[in-house]
Amino acid sequence: GENVEQHPSTLSVQEGDSAVIKCTYSDSASNYFPWYKQELGKRPQLIIDIRSNVGEKKDQRIAVTLNKTAKHFSLHITETQPEDSAVYFCAARWANQAGTALIFGKGTTLSVSS
Amino acid sequence: EAGVAQSPRYKIIEKRQSVAFWCNPISGHATLYWYQQILGQGPKLLIQFQNNGVVDDSQLPKDRFSAERLKGVDSTLKIQPAKLEDSAVYLCASSSWTSGSYEQYFGPGTRLTVT
């Protein structure tokens, strides 16, 4: 089955710096790679996702890159702001129109200090 | 659109007691998931429904956990009897392919404390 490793477990940056979180996955059949942000006591919310037919995707200050050969994908946040402070989870799995039972990483706690 | 609804939001029970959680997905979402999130960890799938059928329950501890989605809309997750290690947030999520997206929308969760 799929296994997802996420690093680092904690990340502290200064406001305006960039933050990078990396994940590796084990199942080469996985084709869907979302990133969720979870603030303390809140529900996880999707911030960006990528499918296996795409190498990179950007949405304003957030980008995700995927290397299928190496089976790893990364989240890049530029110009970090204090409101980016949260726990970020990567996930992976093979998905189809019936959905997908995501396998999540253990999370990265990002702290952005002003 | 209204989001995923869950109740109760908090529950405290003693070990060996039983408990049930309820989830109402986003209207029209055929796929419903229950995840268990232990403090400091990522969500772990317990069961996935497509309409009222089970797609994946390989990680559901079937000796004590059960779930149903009888009419393909609401779902109930039950634990009987509860153990201390069941203390966690139970998240319900739903998704629909009609928009061409695999996105899963999560509910606010039920925080269970077993004492």
Side-chain angles (χ1 to χ4, degrees):
Chain A
E2 178 63 278
N3 183 53
V4 177
E5 300 284 340
Q6 183 172 346
H7 300 281
S9 56
T10 60
L11 181 59
S12 296
V13 299
Q14 291 286 321
E15 183 177 2
D17 287 350
S18 295
V20 179
I21 303 171
K22 299 181 179 181
C23 289
T24 60
Y25 61 99
S26 61
D27 188 352
S28 56
S30 289
N31 66 350
Y32 177 60
F33 308 91
W35 287 88
Y36 281 83
K37 175 183 180 182
Q38 187 174 31
E39 298 177 3
L40 189 63
K42 301 285 184 64
R43 70 191 77 189
Q45 291 196 302
L46 181 73
I47 56 171
I48 195 167
D49 57 8
I50 193 168
R51 302 185 192 182
S52 59
N53 59 346
V54 176
E56 183 175 2
K57 184 178 178 181
K58 289 184 179 180
D59 183 3
Q60 300 182 345
R61 298 186 296 108
I62 295 172
V64 57
T65 59
L66 172 65
N67 183 325
K68 288 187 295 182
T69 302
K71 289 192 277 190
H72 66 69
F73 56 113
S74 301
L75 177 70
H76 304 254
I77 305 174
T78 59
E79 301 174 20
T80 54
Q81 302 167 2
E83 50 265 39
D84 293 329
S85 297
V87 180
Y88 291 81
F89 293 99
C90 63
R93 200 67 186 276
W94 179 78
N96 62 14
Q97 294 183 18
T100 176
L102 293 170
I103 304 299
F104 284 84
K106 292 187 175 182
T108 296
T109 300
L110 174 64
S111 299
V112 181
S113 54
S114 55
Chain B
E1 60 185 2
V4 177
Q6 289 187 247
S7 67
R9 293 294 311 279
Y10 305 91
K11 190 74 177 179
I12 301 174
I13 61 172
E14 295 181 350
K15 59 184 180 184
R16 292 187 290 273
Q17 287 186 325
S18 62
V19 64
F21 313 128
W22 173 82
C23 172
N24 182 232
I26 292 172
S27 178
H29 281 199
T31 309
L32 184 147
Y33 314 81
W34 283 101
Y35 289 89
Q36 178 193 58
Q37 187 174 24
I38 293 173
L39 186 65
Q41 298 183 20
K44 172 189 166 186
L45 181 86
L46 293 174
I47 190 166
Q48 175 188 353
F49 291 96
Q50 177 73 6
N51 296 310
N52 60 350
V54 175
V55 175
D56 185 345
D57 64 355
S58 57
Q59 298 186 82
L60 186 73
K62 297 180 185 64
D63 57 333
R64 297 184 301 106
F65 286 66
S66 65
E68 60 184 15
R69 194 184 184 201
L70 294 176
K71 297 182 179 179
V73 181
D74 294 7
S75 177
T76 302
L77 175 70
K78 296 179 181 178
I79 308 175
Q80 181 179 10
K83 293 185 176 181
L84 294 176
E85 57 261 37
D86 298 331
S87 294
V89 175
Y90 290 84
L91 294 163
C92 179
S94 68
S95 67
S96 171
W97 178 246
T98 54
S99 60
S101 169
Y102 296 131
E103 180 175 359
Q104 295 182 22
Y105 297 83
F106 284 85
T110 296
R111 182 177 298 277
L112 174 67
T113 302
V114 182
T115 62

